[in-house]
């Protein structure tokens, strides 16, 4: 994991370019890179974009990253159907 420096306002995690690139080449998603480097997901995505652009200018490519898919634990469609029925019943009664 990267070096953690703490200031009064925020905690910043710094990792070397070598460590970041090792995490990129051994991961498939941005979340995996963030977990390996200790950085926040948004910081990881921004750094990946900057690094990819800089390396592209030199003829190097980075592997394509995927965003991890959200895991849905509840069937939202059934909840929406029930809400629609309840609202229709409430509005038709007026």
């Amino acid at each position: 994991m990267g070096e953690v420096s703490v200031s009064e306002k925020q905690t910043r995690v710094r990792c070397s370019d070598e460590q970041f690139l090792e995490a990129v080449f051994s991961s498939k998603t941005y979340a995996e890179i963030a977990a390996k480097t200790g950085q926040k997901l948004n910081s990881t995505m921004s750094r990946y974009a900057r690094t990819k652009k800089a390396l592209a200018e030199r003829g190097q490519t980075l592997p394509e990253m995927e965003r991890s898919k959200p895991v849905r634990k509840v069937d939202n469609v059934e909840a929406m159907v029930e809400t629609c029925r309840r609202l229709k019943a409430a509005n038709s009664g007026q």
Side-chain angles (χ1 to χ4, degrees), residues 22-94:
E22 286 175 3
V24 168
F25 279 96
S26 65
S27 304
K28 292 186 184 253
T29 64
Y30 294 111
E32 289 177 12
I33 298 171
K36 290 176 183 176
T37 60
Q39 295 180 320
K40 293 179 182 175
L41 184 61
N42 291 341
S43 299
T44 300
M45 292 173 75
S46 298
R47 185 172 184 178
Y48 176 85
R50 289 191 309 268
T51 304
K52 184 175 180 178
K53 181 180 177 184
L55 290 176
E57 292 172 357
R58 300 284 185 124
Q60 298 295 317
T61 59
L62 290 179
E64 291 297 320
M65 289 293 122
E66 300 172 0
R67 292 186 174 158
S68 58
K69 307 292 185 217
V71 177
R72 298 201 172 164
K73 298 177 182 168
V74 179
D75 187 8
N76 291 341
V77 176
E78 288 300 320
M80 288 190 292
V81 168
E82 184 59 35
T83 303
C84 287
R85 287 182 186 153
R86 182 177 48 81
L87 293 173
K88 283 181 183 178
N91 287 335
S92 65
Q94 292 179 349

